[in-house]
Amino acid sequence: RRTIHKPWFAYPATTMAFAAAVHLTDMRAGLVRGVRAVALTLLSWLLPLMALIAGAFLAALPFTGLALLWATKSTAPILLSAASALIVLINAAYQDGGRDRPPAVLRWAARLAAVLLTPLVIIAGYGLALRIGQYGLTPERVCAAACVVVGAGFAAGYLPAALSRGPWLSRIELTNVVTAHLIVAVFLALLSPLADPRRLSVEDQLRRLDDGRVTPARFDYAFLKFQAG
């Protein structure tokens, strides 16, 4: 029981189990093809509900303002989670884009969801920028910025796909491939000195101290000791 909670065991064991599962489904595709199709079909019917909730939320913002959203202090995580859910559900409805297109309600919900991605990512990026401007970078905010970049990649491709008059959402296929490479590039940057979250955070916090935006009395020394490596 103690061993399976150790990172040196849990990470390799989980990776090996996942790799074995991928290999099994590759060698015995018939075992999972039917189950996958049923699961994606059932999941896709959450798309109209999610699109309705996201659309109602964005439609209410002009009347309620953004103050309540900023008050949660988790604007970017909330909106990016909603955007990621929409991306997953859109692809659940699209599946492999074959001839068997889903019902009209799912097609229109997917188009609406693809359009809603753009304002969600924009507001998330704006909220994160305000937070960074107020309190500077932290490793969590650097990772959130990376998620905003990935979300912007999806939004930039899904919006024209939703508005195009060609085959239903066919352009998301290219977007998925391009954004997959973008995700790999972002991960490599975060895991390298180029965009190491702790290095960027320390440099930004010390710059704020040097510029006088933070006084020595209010500087977060505990961050340097416990979170900055």
Side-chain angles (χ1 to χ4, degrees), residues 139-140 198 202 220-229:
E140 292 78 11
R198 292 184 297 185
V202 170
D220 191 357
Y221 298 100
F223 166 74
L224 294 183
K225 182 175 182 179
F226 297 109
Q227 296 178 276

Side-chain angles (χ1 to χ4, degrees), residues 57-80:
F57 166 75
L58 292 172
L61 284 182
F63 304 98
T64 62
L66 295 172
L68 293 176
L69 191 58
W70 302 152
T72 65
K73 299 183 180 180
S74 300
T75 302
I78 292 172
L79 296 182
L80 290 174

Side-chain angles (χ1 to χ4, degrees), residues 99-145:
R99 295 181 179 179
D100 298 331
R101 297 196 299 174
V105 62
L106 288 183
R107 296 200 301 272
W108 283 106
R111 287 186 183 272
L112 174 61
V115 172
L116 296 177
L117 281 178
T118 297
L120 287 175
V121 173
I122 290 176
I123 298 174
Y126 177 61
L128 181 62
L130 291 178
R131 198 74 174 169
I132 293 173
Q134 290 176 324
Y135 302 105
L137 286 176
T138 62
E140 292 78 11
R141 289 174 193 144
V142 173
C143 294

Side-chain angles (χ1 to χ4, degrees), residues 33 36-37 40 90-102 168-170 172-173:
R33 186 179 295 116
R36 183 186 64 182
L40 290 177
I90 290 170
N91 283 277
Y94 187 79
Q95 296 191 28
D96 61 356
R99 295 181 179 179
D100 298 331
R101 297 196 299 174
W168 176 65
L169 291 184
S170 61
I172 72 169
E173 297 178 7

